[in-house]
Amino acid sequence: MSSKFYIGNHLSSSGGYLAMGKKATELGGNTFAFFTRNPRGGKAKEIVPSDVDKYLAYAKEQEFGKLVAHAPYTMNLCAAKADIRQFGIEMLADDLQRMEYTPGNYYNFHPGSHVGQGEEKGITLIAEALNQVLFPEMTTTVLLETMAGKGSEIGRSFQELRTIIDQVGLSDKLGVCFDTCHVWDGGYDIVNHLDEVLEAFDKVIGLDRLKAIHFNDSMNDLGSYKDRHAKIGEGKIGLEAMKRVATHPLLVGKPFILETPNEDEGYAQEIALFKSWFA
Ligand code: FE
Ligand code: FE
Ligand code: ZN
């Protein structure tokens, strides 16, 4: 595979880093995503330095793209309850320490749900949390994920993400993960107006912040605020539009991560499909 584009999927971290790297290769990919701990939260698995070393050598040899680690879903930095917020802040702080074992990669999280406190308050709490845990020496870039806007999710609009970034001191540590299903569900028409959506992103946030793509079709319509992922080409975004995203000159070269409802075989097929667009 040319090292000019990066595709992979979410892998189980239960066997460690080298196992994930080999699994990515087996499925045809050259990057991957994983949950830093159980997606529902809780204690993280011990990191084994020798496993990390083997992985790093393997990734170099295989010319892997940057990894896109994913925070647990239970992390809500703008929860109304202080103890839930604190739990999230502690997980985030711990995860960022752990990420330094694999320097220079990405850590993606859902900004949070304001649960009735309002967007402004939610944004302030998220920024406060980031200001507590980001540290100058870190090599990881923390990615705010674009959200579908279901419930009281923060991050449906590019402007909300921009406002968070503006309130963070070490904002050079922040980027954005562009989830195609979420952006579409959130009301950005990447099917008919991809260029305009990317222009809007550039104007509001800046394309230099767009670090990774969650590459998912959507089961629902534009602006549905739903967040149900579909297999590539089997949803409302559709194959042609997904291909235009994958091959867009402003996006090529960034890690593309599949979060589609698949088992290994389906992921291998979608990875092969993605690669066929560059053949
Ligand atoms: Fe996500
Ligand atoms: Fe996503
Ligand atoms: Zn989603």
Side-chain angles (χ1 to χ4, degrees):
M1 188 194 285
S2 149
S3 59
K4 286 187 183 130
F5 58 90
Y6 299 100
I7 178 72
N9 63 304
H10 257 271
L11 297 174
S12 160
S13 62
S14 60
Y17 286 91
L18 183 62
M20 286 193 281
K22 294 205 161 159
K23 185 74 181 182
T25 305
E26 183 191 317
L27 297 176
N30 58 358
T31 180
F32 58 90
F34 62 100
F35 284 104
T36 50
R37 58 188 76 217
N38 183 304
R40 298 270 143 229
K43 208 176 169 300
K45 219 176 142 284
E46 199 77 51
I47 287 184
V48 181
S50 61
D51 171 52
V52 174
D53 288 346
K54 281 180 205 145
Y55 167 72
L56 291 174
Y58 182 78
K60 198 170 173 195
E61 168 201 310
Q62 298 284 325
E63 300 183 10
F64 270 28
K66 286 186 189 290
L67 306 182
V68 190
H70 200 303
Y73 294 135
T74 43
M75 195 176 101
N76 185 7
L77 299 181
C78 61
K81 291 185 180 147
D83 58 330
I84 298 179
R85 279 203 309 279
Q86 191 52 36
F87 178 64
I89 288 168
E90 280 162 21
M91 277 196 288
L92 176 59
D94 184 41
D95 279 352
L96 293 183
Q97 290 299 330
R98 296 157 55 84
M99 286 298 294
E100 292 300 318
Y101 280 91
T102 52
N105 286 299
Y106 297 140
Y107 178 87
N108 170 72
F109 78 107
H110 296 177
S113 294
H114 67 68
V115 288
Q117 304 173 94
E119 274 141 42
E120 212 183 300
K121 175 77 179 171
I123 286 169
T124 305
L125 289 171
I126 295 161
E128 272 176 13
L130 290 168
N131 282 325
Q132 273 188 57
V133 297
L134 300 184
F135 55 102
E137 304 79 14
M138 63 189 274
T139 64
T140 304
T141 302
V142 173
L143 308 185
L144 303 153
E145 183 167 349
T146 59
M147 300 309 293
K150 114 176 103 54
S152 63
E153 275 174 356
I154 304 273
R156 185 201 62 76
S157 74
F158 299 156
Q159 186 56 55
E160 287 175 5
L161 298 179
R162 173 77 243 179
T163 309
I164 295 170
I165 293 166
D166 282 341
Q167 294 180 23
V168 173
L170 293 173
S171 63
D172 59 315
K173 309 293 184 194
L174 295 179
V176 172
C177 176
F178 188 96
D179 186 310
T180 52
C181 167
H182 297 177
V183 165
W184 167 258
D185 284 18
Y188 293 99
D189 188 355
I190 56 172
V191 173
N192 299 298
H193 300 284
L194 177 58
D195 283 328
E196 288 87 342
V197 171
L198 292 176
E199 254 168 57
F201 188 102
D202 193 33
K203 225 172 163 180
V204 177
I205 302 177
L207 278 171
D208 54 328
R209 298 258 188 204
L210 202 170
K211 303 294 191 192
I213 293 94
H214 279 174
F215 196 60
N216 308 308
D217 210 327
S218 171
M219 286 177 36
N220 293 291
D221 290 319
L222 174 69
S224 62
Y225 300 0
K226 282 274 182 22
D227 190 4
R228 298 279 309 278
H229 301 188
K231 295 183 190 189
I232 306 306
E234 294 186 13
K236 301 283 177 133
I237 299 175
L239 191 62
E240 283 312 307
M242 292 303 289
K243 180 180 172 183
R244 283 195 296 273
V245 172
T247 57
H248 197 287
L250 291 172
L251 302 178
V252 173
K254 301 175 195 293
F256 279 70
I257 302 295
L258 294 161
E259 301 177 305
T260 45
N262 277 305
E263 303 293 333
D264 283 357
E265 198 191 332
Y267 284 125
Q269 282 171 9
E270 289 186 344
I271 288 167
L273 173 69
F274 186 98
K275 288 158 83 171
S276 75
W277 294 332
F278 294 90

